[in-house]
Amino acid sequence: MTVLSNRLAIDGGPPVRTAPLPWELPGAHFIGAEERALVDAVVDAKSPFRFYGPDLQGMVATLEREWCEAFGHRHALGVSSGSAALSIAMSALQIGPGDEVLIPGYLWVSCASAVVTAGAIPRLVDIDETFCMDPDDLARKIGPHSRAVLIVHMSGAPGRVDRLVEVARAHGLAVIEDCAQASGGRFRGTSVGRSGDIGIFSFQLNKNMTSGEGGVVVTDDDALARRMVALHDLGYPRTAAGRLDVSDPECQLWGKGARMSELAGAMALGQFRKLPQITGAMRSAKWAIRKRLEGLPGVTFRTIVDPEGDSGPFLIATFRSAEAAEFTVNALRAEGIKGPEGSLACLTMREFGLHWYYNIPSLVQKRSNSRDGFPWTHPANAFASDYAYGRGTLPVADDLSDRAMILSIASNLSAADVDDIVTAFAKVLAATADRF
Ligand SMILES: Cc1ncc(COP(=O)(O)O)c(C=O)c1O
């Protein structure tokens, strides 16, 4: 689109565009005949349960097999959500009272929740300019009660995975990779979820592929896999006929009731087969935008260690000050860089809610689901009585969350949409260069 005036729309000039950008929801744009045919097969077979039924279609089992083939995992297990997957991972590693799990300050509430509901203590680790966990701060924060590190590949791209794993291993800690936001991503050629002991993925609507609800846990470890099968179900493994097998004293656990249904499995399978297309579209649009804007004054982009492994759903930019970030976002929205009503396409990072540790009231206030204040009050957790979770705990996360913005990259952006985003950004940056 030709820019008729340099006057910003926020100051009364003509906007770059008036039509909203597409909804962010990456997988949703690709839902079509393939998903419908797979779901129909389950419905026609009257067999929506994965372990037995009149005419089992094996959707979840096929998804698990194809997932392993594509990404190189030894075991993949379909589950009901990414949050359930995190909780299963904690219990598979026997994490509980007396343990602390290191988590980054830029995360999702489910990461903290999985630790707390396991009875363990979350230990906050600062982020760096990758917007993922800072390996140096991880090394500083590890203590005598540390049991595991939860690495979170935020906003679609892994951080310094190799260094984080190195630090964790040097201290004998387990590593869980939260790949909920990065399905289809890689780090230096290795699929995400393969660098630690357990990887988890989410198929919730905002994720790179979706079945509405759902997820996968992966591991290369046979013993962990066996525990996770029992944990995601009713606490026991199943026989070949799909019936519970309570005979193994080594595998009598408490299940979380987090199986994936065949309906979700069918949707997820259809989406999984399109994942390279979905992430490919986002990655190429995002890097096209980024390359055209890089070097303009006043803006810096998130450090992405391995751009080829970025799954592409978000562009994160930082500015000189919180005021500059806020002004830029408001000015971009006025230029038409926003989604339809209800979408969260263009935000200051401050507005990104439960993605920041200090915005999670149950963490900051050390809330409990039980009357006795568990796990905070558990005697084995007394070591953490002075741990604080309020704003001010992680200076880099605080600073970056103040000065950054996040733009969703829809999986169906047209070349014209990309042009408009670039035009609007350049227009706003040019007009604000002297203001901040
Ligand atoms: C980083 C991260 N971890 C875990 C989850 C939990 O996934 P779900 O919504 O499927 O429970 C999400 C997404 O919601 C997430 O973004």
Side-chain angles (χ1 to χ4, degrees):
M1 173 168 179
T2 318
V3 178
L4 302 173
S5 157
N6 287 332
R7 193 159 168 228
L8 295 181
I10 202 170
D11 295 331
V16 169
R17 63 184 281 143
T18 51
L21 290 168
W23 270 91
E24 49 274 22
L25 320 177
H29 293 296
F30 283 72
I31 296 174
E34 299 78 8
E35 286 82 350
R36 185 188 301 276
L38 291 162
V39 170
D40 278 354
V42 173
V43 173
D44 291 346
K46 300 182 169 43
S47 298
F49 181 59
R50 74 162 294 181
F51 287 117
Y52 51 79
D55 181 15
L56 199 52
Q57 299 295 297
M59 294 294 173
V60 181
T62 306
L63 171 71
E64 292 166 351
R65 195 186 62 245
E66 292 190 16
W67 192 279
C68 286
E69 282 164 10
F71 300 133
H73 307 294
R74 190 165 156 82
H75 303 280
L77 175 71
V79 294
S80 57
S81 72
S83 303
L86 282 169
S87 179
I88 291 162
M90 296 295 157
S91 296
L93 293 164
Q94 295 181 276
I95 285 166
D99 297 333
E100 99 186 340
V101 178
L102 297 117
I103 60 173
Y106 179 45
L107 75 176
W108 180 238
V109 58
S110 310
C111 305
S113 174
V115 179
V116 172
T117 54
I121 294 293
R123 174 79 159 135
L124 288 170
V125 180
D126 217 337
I127 60 171
D128 60 19
E129 71 287 359
T130 65
F131 282 76
C132 293
M133 190 182 274
D134 172 359
D136 295 331
D137 200 44
L138 172 63
R140 281 192 289 272
K141 296 283 170 66
I142 291 172
H145 292 271
S146 301
R147 273 286 316 283
V149 181
L150 180 59
I151 298 174
V152 193
H153 305 317
M154 288 303 290
S155 308
R160 303 185 198 284
V161 179
D162 45 0
R163 289 210 44 223
L164 291 165
V165 173
E166 198 179 285
V167 173
R169 294 305 191 210
H171 291 84
L173 306 186
V175 175
I176 304 167
E177 266 181 275
D178 181 338
C179 318
Q181 301 186 6
S183 287
R186 291 191 308 276
F187 184 76
R188 304 215 161 107
T190 300
S191 298
V192 292
R194 291 203 65 206
S195 299
D197 300 287
I198 297 175
I200 75 98
F201 297 81
S202 164
F203 305 151
Q204 182 267 342
L205 183 61
N206 287 83
K207 305 307 189 295
N208 291 351
M209 55 172 274
T210 188
S211 47
E213 295 284 5
V216 156
V217 281
V218 297
T219 186
D220 285 351
D221 182 303
D222 295 348
L224 285 176
R226 186 165 165 77
R227 280 178 70 81
M228 293 201 290
V229 168
L231 285 162
H232 100 295
D233 197 352
L234 296 173
Y236 303 94
R238 296 232 172 211
T239 64
R243 302 295 170 176
L244 291 165
D245 173 4
V246 300
S247 64
D248 178 1
E250 299 298 312
C251 204
Q252 296 168 341
L253 299 166
W254 295 105
K256 296 176 192 277
R259 295 175 301 247
M260 175 176 267
S261 84
E262 283 285 278
L263 290 165
M267 274 287 295
L269 181 59
Q271 287 269 288
F272 164 73
R273 289 173 175 165
K274 299 172 183 177
L275 188 57
Q277 255 177 289
I278 300 169
T279 52
M282 295 190 295
R283 187 167 41 246
S284 65
K286 167 180 168 171
W287 285 89
I289 294 166
R290 199 174 143 147
K291 285 195 175 118
R292 285 163 69 183
L293 295 174
E294 224 136 23
L296 291 182
V299 67
T300 311
F301 292 99
R302 168 194 188 184
T303 298
I304 295 195
V305 183
D306 175 20
E308 290 188 5
D310 179 9
S311 66
F314 295 99
L315 180 74
I316 296 178
T318 49
F319 302 89
R320 290 191 192 107
S321 63
E323 294 68 36
E326 192 177 334
F327 182 86
T328 306
V329 165
N330 288 334
L332 282 172
R333 286 182 187 154
E335 297 296 339
I337 305 306
K338 58 184 178 187
E341 189 65 32
S343 107
L344 301 175
C346 180
L347 296 175
T348 62
M349 275 291 202
R350 276 176 171 177
E351 297 170 285
F352 214 27
L354 302 181
H355 286 99
W356 294 101
Y357 73 97
Y358 56 76
N359 280 335
I360 303 174
S362 355
L363 180 64
V364 175
Q365 306 298 334
K366 299 189 183 177
R367 298 292 186 209
S368 171
N369 283 354
S370 59
R371 282 177 297 164
D372 69 351
F374 179 83
W376 312 101
T377 51
H378 192 290
N381 290 335
F383 70 89
S385 57
D386 63 346
Y387 283 13
Y389 300 97
R391 198 182 150 93
T393 307
L394 301 179
V396 180
D398 293 359
D399 174 51
L400 287 175
S401 64
D402 277 349
R403 292 190 296 111
M405 66 163 287
I406 182 158
L407 179 72
S408 299
I409 304 297
S411 57
N412 62 345
L413 285 184
S414 66
D417 295 332
V418 168
D419 282 345
D420 286 348
I421 292 170
V422 172
T423 305
F425 244 109
K427 181 182 172 189
V428 171
L429 287 171
T432 57
D434 303 331
R435 286 197 211 190
F436 299 101

